[in-house]
Amino acid sequence: MAITQHPREFVGIVLATLATFWIFINALFLQHGPHPAPIFGTRHAGVRPSPAATNAAPARNDPIAALLAPSQRALAVQRALADFGYGQIKPTGIVGPETQAAIEKFERDHHLPVTGQISDRLVRDLAAMTGRALE
């Protein structure tokens, strides 16, 4: 028998096999959240995503990306300002210098505090002027 002739090698092979098995179990089943390696899928067995979830962008916890991402509110404000002649603004959803200048002009024309920033009051006044909700 191989066990009696080479006991050290047999014990080493058994320990290596158990360690390898434990590493795979730990990596595949005992870690919280999705696996970072792209070879492993992020869907869980038996859980079907909703149709809205399949078309939506994946949720991320990235505050910098959230600040840089186009905003629907900013997009609506830019469209309203451009429609009513407050500058040649390209509706991108990102507030830049052209948008800030248009907001400042609107604020001056409507006797609002001049901030150049999108505020609830600005959105409310723009919505009243356009006759439609901006959000």
Side-chain angles (χ1 to χ4, degrees), residues 6 11 15 23 37 49-50 62 66 70 74 82 85 88 90 93 101 106 109 120:
H6 304 286
V11 170
L15 289 177
I23 289 169
S50 67
D62 189 355
Q88 294 182 341
K90 293 181 182 177
F106 178 84
D109 289 351
D120 291 337

Side-chain angles (χ1 to χ4, degrees), residues 22-101:
W22 179 250
I23 289 169
F24 279 116
I25 294 298
N26 182 32
L28 294 175
F29 302 111
L30 300 178
Q31 298 298 315
H32 297 290
H35 197 282
I39 193 169
F40 298 107
T42 57
R43 289 183 38 186
H44 299 288
V47 178
R48 300 190 85 181
S50 67
T54 57
N55 294 333
R60 294 187 180 110
N61 187 13
D62 189 355
I64 302 299
L67 290 174
L68 298 176
S71 161
Q72 293 301 319
R73 187 178 199 193
L75 192 62
V77 167
Q78 288 171 331
R79 285 184 182 139
L81 289 169
D83 289 347
F84 285 89
Y86 284 96
Q88 294 182 341
I89 305 167
K90 293 181 182 177
T92 60
I94 299 172
V95 178
E98 297 87 14
T99 304
Q100 288 178 337

